[in-house]
């Protein structure tokens, strides 16, 4: 695609790389599709529309060739073999297949015990890992939910202490989706391999942004998703190691036996082609993007913290994804803050449950108070984020926080030097 066509298509996505509001700073939630990805996908809707399962005519072969190429592109990004890539509908399904599939395939009751085996994960994983683990717990497996350090990092040491003779699988995310902290993945993988325990990592926020080598990093199962890396929604992949050890999984979906029986169902050819192209682009551009985004994020954090007191960046100061920051602002009310920064499309530290706004369980695990969690913003930058957008966001955030604090009697007391934690609030 020539540069002008790319620029035109990007401009059509009005909020990408421009100052048209709201400006998009929620790339950890999803990313716009790269025009080069769209271009690669288009022929597979109308021209190369065959079913890759049709083994006896050209339409099927052409579609299969598209899928094969995508499998190579995904495998290349991960340092894997093509046969180790299973296409799924995204990371949620990949996580479910890895966790439930491994647990039921390898279940082992300890001598004299009644359990079906043991799993290790962490309390700040995405729900797409936590909920499959909780379901397994209900079905008779033991699960250890590790608590990360106050910096949000899960260490190999904490995993080591949780391992048991009947541990089947350890599932620890590579980088956290709310705070961007990076766990000790290669070390945890090495530990699991020493003990003959399977190691799964939810790499949804990492793969395609930062380097992966499943051999070097000692990974047996890895989940990734296209829509976090400028590919389409509803498609992803699970890497399943085939050698040393050969990992087997119980399928979640039975049927036509596609994907070597791991995942039946006609393949989402267009989506898979898009995922493949997104991986190819990511492999070529991730270093450059990461360097640029780290500079922009630093500008954002410094812009805010140099002009506002009583704000904190959550998570480890340096072991963090380069494009993501999660900042809590003291003495402002959360909903008011979100309303006041409507021109910036970002996430808050509140999660909507059916009835109410709950403080984020990730921030709570880091001992961030409920009030501070509610008044937190997750800002995540992307490939087309600009310095102009960052400066705009800093202006809006600083302005909003200052304005909200003008209305806060607590902030006045804090400025007068009163230690609010020691104040005894009367019940009048
Ligand atoms: C860490 C993590 N895991 C899993 C998911 C779910 O991915 P998908 O939308 O592909 O199902 C997400 C997406 O928000 C995520 O951030």
């Amino acid at each position: 695609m020539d540069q002008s066509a790319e620029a035109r298509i990007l401009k059509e996505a009005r909020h990408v790389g421009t100052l048209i509001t709201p400006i998009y700073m929620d790339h950890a939630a999803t990313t716009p599709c790269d025009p080069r990805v769209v271009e690669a996908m288009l022929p597979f809707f109308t021209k190369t529309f065959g079913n890759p399962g049709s083994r006896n005519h050209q339409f099927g072969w052409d579609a299969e060739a598209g899928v094969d190429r995508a499998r190579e592109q995904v495998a290349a990004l991960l340092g894997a073999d093509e046969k180790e890539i299973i296409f799924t509908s995204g990371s949620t399904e990949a996580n479910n297949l890895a966790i439930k599939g491994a647990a039921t395939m390898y279940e082992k009751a300890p001598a004299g015990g009644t359990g079906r085996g043991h799993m290790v994960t962490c309390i700040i994983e995405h729900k797409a890992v936590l909920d499959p683990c909780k379901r397994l717990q209900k079905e008779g497996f033991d699960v250890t939910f590790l608590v990360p350090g106050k910096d949000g990092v899960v260490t190999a040491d904490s995993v080591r202490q949780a391992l048991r003779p009947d541990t089947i699988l350890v599932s620890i995310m590579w980088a956290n989706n709310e705070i961007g902290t990076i766990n000790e993945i290669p070390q945890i993988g090495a530990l699991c391999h020493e003990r003959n325990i399977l190691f799964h990592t939810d790499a949804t926020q990492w793969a395609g942004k930062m380097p992966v080598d499943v051999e070097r990093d000692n990974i047996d199962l890895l989940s990734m998703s296209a829509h976090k890396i400028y590919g389409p929604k509803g498609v992803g992949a699970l890497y399943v190691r085939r050698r040393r050890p050969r990992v087997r999984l119980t399928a979640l979906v039975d049927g036509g036996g596609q994907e070597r029986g791991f995942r039946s169902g006609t393949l989402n050819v267009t989506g898979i082609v898009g995922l493949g192209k997104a991986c190819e682009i990511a492999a070529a551009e991730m270093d450059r993007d990461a360097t640029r985004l780290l500079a922009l994020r630093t500008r954002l954090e410094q812009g805010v913290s140099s002009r506002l007191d009583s704000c904190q960046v959550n998570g480890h100061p340096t072991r963090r994804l380069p494009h993501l920051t999660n900042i809590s602002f003291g003495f402002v009310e959360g909903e008011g803050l979100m309303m006041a920064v409507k021109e910036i499309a970002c996430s808050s530290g509140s999660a909507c449950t059916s009835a109410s706004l709950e403080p984020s369980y990730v921030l709570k695990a880091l001992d961030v108070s409920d009030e501070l969690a509610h008044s937190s913003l997750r800002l995540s930058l992307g490939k087309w984020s600009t310095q102009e957008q960052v400066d705009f966001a800093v202006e809006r955030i600083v302005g909003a926080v200052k304005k909200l604090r003008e209305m806060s009697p607590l902030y006045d007391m804090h400025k007068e030097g009163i230690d609010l934690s020691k104040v005894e609030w009367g019940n009048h």
Side-chain angles (χ1 to χ4, degrees):
M1 176 175 289
D2 66 56
Q3 295 252 302
S4 63
E6 193 182 330
R8 179 178 51 73
I9 294 172
L10 279 174
K11 219 166 147 206
E12 278 167 17
R14 290 169 59 245
H15 304 271
V16 176
T18 69
L19 260 191
I20 297 171
T21 57
I23 56 169
Y24 192 70
M25 288 207 176
D26 206 11
H27 290 84
T30 196
T31 54
C33 235
D34 189 311
R36 294 167 289 181
V37 169
V38 177
E39 189 181 57
M41 291 170 70
L42 282 177
F44 288 86
F45 284 104
T46 49
K47 225 166 88 201
T48 320
F49 62 84
N51 185 331
S54 299
R55 288 285 152 78
N56 43 6
H57 56 68
Q58 192 67 43
F59 293 87
W61 302 330
D62 290 348
E64 191 180 28
V67 170
D68 286 349
R69 172 143 175 68
R71 216 182 285 284
E72 284 165 19
Q73 290 162 318
V74 178
L77 180 74
L78 305 177
D81 184 276
E82 306 90 84
K83 293 199 195 74
E84 298 177 308
I85 304 303
I86 306 299
F87 291 116
T88 66
S89 61
S91 277
T92 301
E93 186 188 338
N95 287 343
N96 272 268
L97 176 56
I99 294 167
K100 294 175 184 166
T104 49
M105 176 59 74
Y106 293 98
E107 62 183 279
K108 43 187 167 189
T114 51
R116 296 173 69 185
H118 176 238
M119 325 280 286
V120 177
T121 187
C122 168
I123 57 168
I124 64 167
E125 293 285 320
H126 192 274
K127 294 275 185 192
V129 164
L130 292 178
D131 286 0
C133 287
K134 286 180 189 161
R135 185 176 296 278
L136 287 174
Q137 217 174 13
K138 281 198 200 118
E139 291 174 359
F141 291 88
D142 280 344
V143 184
T144 300
F145 293 91
L146 294 173
V147 178
K150 293 294 163 253
D151 56 7
V153 176
V154 181
T155 62
D157 233 23
S158 67
V159 173
R160 180 179 290 112
Q161 286 169 28
L163 297 181
R164 305 191 332 202
D166 63 335
T167 306
I168 299 168
L169 178 83
V170 170
S171 178
I172 300 292
M173 69 198 327
W174 207 315
N176 184 272
N177 48 301
E178 286 192 36
I179 51 176
T181 42
I182 300 166
N183 295 322
E184 292 183 357
I185 293 305
Q187 296 86 339
I188 297 171
L191 170 68
C192 290
H193 280 182
E194 260 168 42
R195 309 276 183 100
N196 289 326
I197 292 166
L198 294 178
F199 178 46
H200 166 248
T201 184
D202 175 353
T204 311
Q205 297 288 345
W206 177 273
K209 310 263 173 56
M210 304 295 278
V212 175
D213 181 333
V214 288
E215 285 306 322
R216 180 198 61 203
D217 301 327
N218 310 305
I219 289 158
D220 297 318
L221 294 154
L222 177 146
S223 308
M224 65 172 298
S225 185
H227 75 102
K228 307 287 187 184
I229 57 167
Y230 311 95
K233 293 169 187 49
V235 61
L238 178 67
Y239 157 78
V240 184
R241 176 176 285 280
R242 264 168 73 89
R243 288 176 54 238
R244 288 175 290 117
R246 183 187 185 93
V247 178
R248 292 176 304 140
L249 300 172
T250 311
L252 302 179
V253 183
D254 294 314
Q258 288 90 344
E259 296 301 87
R260 304 199 339 275
F262 281 113
R263 202 269 189 178
S264 287
T266 299
L267 296 183
N268 169 9
V269 179
T270 44
I272 289 167
V273 167
L275 168 63
K277 185 68 186 176
C279 288
E280 183 192 289
I281 297 171
E285 298 181 0
M286 69 167 78
D287 288 351
R288 194 194 68 193
D289 286 348
T291 308
R292 195 182 75 86
L293 291 176
L294 180 60
L296 280 185
R297 188 199 62 191
T298 307
R299 187 178 178 94
L300 176 59
E301 288 179 348
Q302 283 176 354
V304 168
S305 61
S306 64
R307 291 169 61 190
L308 291 173
D309 59 87
S310 307
C311 55
Q312 69 183 47
V313 173
N314 295 308
H316 194 282
T318 53
R319 275 190 81 95
R320 273 188 300 142
L321 290 170
H323 59 281
L324 189 156
T325 186
N326 186 311
I327 313 177
S328 299
F329 301 90
F331 309 105
V332 299
E333 190 269 318
E335 248 176 292
L337 178 62
M338 276 315 274
M339 288 295 291
V341 298
K342 283 199 301 294
E343 287 167 301
I344 308 162
C346 62
S347 293
S348 81
S350 309
C352 279
T353 64
S354 50
S356 63
L357 279 180
E358 286 285 320
S360 142
Y361 65 89
V362 174
L363 296 180
K364 280 190 84 157
L366 267 57
D367 270 359
V368 175
S369 68
D370 287 6
E371 295 82 56
L372 261 191
H374 281 305
S375 60
S376 303
L377 299 177
R378 178 189 70 176
L379 300 144
S380 45
L381 307 172
K383 211 182 246 302
W384 296 289
S385 298
T386 63
Q387 187 170 310
E388 217 186 354
Q389 289 183 329
V390 165
D391 293 346
F392 176 85
V394 170
E395 281 306 318
R396 284 296 183 275
I397 293 168
V398 170
V401 170
K402 283 193 169 159
K403 207 157 178 194
L404 289 165
R405 283 180 179 171
E406 276 167 20
M407 296 182 274
S408 162
L410 290 181
Y411 186 59
D412 283 342
M413 291 166 76
H414 164 75
K415 274 197 309 191
E416 282 161 25
I418 300 169
D419 182 350
L420 292 172
S421 65
K422 301 225 167 79
V423 174
E424 285 189 26
W425 305 101
N427 222 356
H428 303 296

